[in-house]
Amino acid sequence: MKILDMLRGRNERRAEDPSWNALANGGNNTLSGSYVDAKSAESISTVFACVQALSESTACLPLHTYRRNEDGSRERADGHWLSRALERPNDYQSGMEFRETLTASVLLNGNGYARKEFNGAGEVTALHPMHPGRVSIVKLDSGRYRYDYTDDQGRPVRLLAEEVLHLRDRTEAGTIVGKSRVAIARESLGLALSLRTHGAASFGRGARPASVLYNDGKTDLSTEQITSLRGVLDSYSAPANAGKTLIMGVRGLKLESIGLSNEDAQWLEAMNFSVTEVCRMFRVPPILVQTLEQASYNNVESLGAQFVKFSLTRWLTMWESAISQQMLGPIARQRYYAEHAVDALLRGTATERAEFYKTMIDSGVMDTEEARRLENLPQRRVDATPTPQAT
């Protein structure tokens, strides 16, 4: 009876625990027979490239802390504790590494977690990433949420929502657990894994000669002749012999090349289609994962602006909103906030920037020094003593 009670309790936990449902919904097996989870999905080169494109770009963009002034202006607040926590979240990671880790976790698992450390003043002094597979979220009777985490030593740790920075993808109504894109697109990823396995098995076990020698049935070849022919053919397989004429000294033999079969062509087409499917899943332009079939000068030139608008904005906003809501109190968030600097990705050519600055300066919206700061140029040196004029 104890075993039945344990199973019954486990089933009740599965039904009540939204994080369990997010992980176990539908299982990880697919119709193609491939097992799909975050680890196996990331082994697909296109998935890895998409995750890296989004997580690296998000992490490499500067994330500054700003203070709102009463006159409506703003200024950098680099000395604020929030800026220090984002710049150096812990002793073993830089701010870039920390944000790359959590963004990749959200992309692959739907959720990214970090445990907060506080000082006596209630300021966050450190952020420690937590593996999403070892985090379970429980809704308490009070309506609040508790995060149960198993640490590296296997010890259970219970944390309140205020002690966790939780980044997440889109959620279902009534739950705070993000939906995993890998779980949603499990069948498409399973097909990509099966295609890769099929190709590896075909090329690994299949006999695929480049050419075949046909005998007319009237010529008997001795062992010495067969050995000699094999040596001749092997010598012509070197790249330096490409295009040379092959002369065989045995009558009755015909050399025929073997091209790409229809099955191989369909396999290659299916592989290319899986690349497009994965890019569609993460909303990443195929050009960024080195798929250049549809690339042209015009769309590559405007790639930076398109990538920011249609791919990165969701993840940048996720970070900024989570920092405001989960790192700052109600009073502090009215004055302080964090924002990414995307100017580097949105900058046009030198000619376009020169025309923009000229228009802004001539219209009085911007002065020369402001334009120089945007171009990361030093302030002009103004001599206090005027240069004497020659008489």
Side-chain angles (χ1 to χ4, degrees):
M1 292 298 295
K2 183 178 293 186
I3 296 178
L4 293 177
D5 293 339
M6 291 174 60
L7 293 176
R8 187 178 299 110
R10 185 178 300 174
N11 290 333
E12 290 175 356
R13 172 184 172 84
R14 293 179 182 180
E16 297 174 358
D17 189 353
S19 60
W20 178 272
N21 291 329
L23 293 174
N25 183 22
N28 290 338
N29 291 322
T30 61
L31 296 177
S32 63
S34 298
Y35 181 85
V36 177
D37 60 2
K39 185 175 181 180
S40 62
E42 198 173 13
S43 68
I44 303 173
S45 61
T46 312
V47 173
F48 179 82
C50 289
V51 171
Q52 289 302 104
L54 293 171
S55 61
E56 288 177 355
S57 300
T58 300
C60 290
L61 286 176
L63 179 59
H64 300 304
T65 301
Y66 292 96
R67 179 190 300 109
R68 296 185 181 94
N69 297 322
E70 295 183 359
D71 59 358
S73 63
R74 71 174 186 176
E75 60 181 342
R76 290 267 296 272
D78 295 336
H80 193 264
W81 62 263
L82 177 61
S83 179
R84 295 193 298 269
L86 296 176
E87 180 68 23
R88 188 70 178 179
N90 49 63
D91 294 335
Y92 48 89
Q93 282 182 313
S94 65
M96 186 277 292
E97 294 169 339
F98 172 77
R99 287 187 284 137
E100 182 183 21
T101 298
L102 258 65
T103 304
S105 178
V106 177
L107 289 166
L108 291 170
N109 303 280
N111 299 272
Y113 306 96
R115 178 175 57 85
K116 303 176 188 176
E117 282 187 6
F118 300 89
N119 59 14
E123 301 170 346
V124 178
T125 57
L127 294 165
H128 301 277
M130 299 188 297
H131 193 286
R134 289 186 278 165
V135 177
S136 180
I137 302 178
V138 179
K139 188 173 185 179
L140 305 176
D141 295 336
S142 62
R144 301 175 65 188
Y145 290 93
R146 187 186 73 215
Y147 291 76
D148 294 342
Y149 174 63
T150 304
D151 63 13
D152 296 337
Q153 287 73 37
R155 297 171 299 191
V157 179
R158 290 188 171 182
L159 301 169
L160 296 177
E162 293 79 8
E163 301 175 278
V164 177
L165 174 64
H166 182 187
L167 305 175
R168 47 186 173 261
D169 209 335
R170 181 170 60 89
T171 62
E172 293 282 4
T175 179
I176 63 171
V177 180
K179 295 172 65 68
S180 169
R181 300 193 179 204
V182 170
I184 295 173
R186 183 183 296 115
E187 294 297 338
S188 296
L189 296 176
L191 176 60
L193 288 170
S194 297
L195 287 170
R196 186 186 64 184
T197 303
H198 168 75
S202 298
F203 287 100
R205 295 195 305 264
R208 307 180 65 84
S211 58
V212 176
L213 278 175
Y214 287 97
N215 193 336
D216 59 2
K218 300 177 182 180
T219 304
D220 295 328
L221 298 179
S222 63
T223 303
E224 291 78 8
Q225 288 177 314
I226 294 176
T227 303
S228 177
L229 283 173
R230 182 177 291 114
V232 172
L233 292 175
D234 290 343
S235 67
Y236 273 82
S237 62
N241 295 320
K244 290 185 178 180
T245 302
L246 174 62
I247 301 175
M248 295 185 298
V250 181
R251 298 176 58 187
L253 295 181
K254 179 182 179 182
L255 182 66
E256 181 175 332
S257 299
I258 299 177
L260 194 66
S261 66
N262 292 332
E263 182 181 354
D264 292 334
Q266 292 177 355
W267 175 77
L268 291 175
E269 183 179 354
M271 288 292 291
N272 290 332
F273 177 75
S274 68
V275 171
T276 305
E277 282 286 281
V278 173
C279 290
R280 185 179 295 119
M281 182 176 87
F282 289 104
R283 295 191 66 187
V284 172
I287 300 175
L288 289 179
V289 296
Q290 305 304 313
T291 301
L292 304 177
E293 287 84 357
Q294 300 178 354
S296 65
Y297 176 79
N298 291 330
N299 58 20
V300 171
E301 187 180 19
S302 60
L303 179 61
Q306 294 179 9
F307 184 55
V308 172
K309 292 179 182 178
F310 303 115
S311 301
L312 276 185
T313 300
R314 191 255 181 254
W315 309 107
L316 300 180
T317 305
M318 173 192 70
W319 272 100
E320 294 167 3
S321 300
I323 291 171
S324 177
Q325 182 180 3
Q326 302 179 38
M327 297 279 288
L328 297 170
I331 299 178
R333 74 173 63 109
Q334 294 179 6
R335 189 173 185 186
Y336 295 95
Y337 66 96
E339 184 176 281
H340 291 86
V342 298
D343 298 341
L345 290 178
L346 295 177
R347 293 175 68 182
T349 63
T351 302
E352 292 172 341
R353 298 200 307 274
E355 293 177 354
F356 168 75
Y357 292 140
K358 183 178 185 303
T359 302
M360 297 294 284
I361 293 174
D362 291 345
S363 60
V365 178
M366 183 185 297
D367 59 31
T368 306
E369 290 303 324
E370 291 174 327
R372 292 179 64 86
R373 283 196 296 270
L374 291 176
E375 287 294 306
N376 294 319
L377 295 175
Q379 185 176 4
R380 284 183 174 178
R381 184 177 179 181
V382 180
D383 295 332
T385 304
T387 303
Q389 300 293 328
T391 56

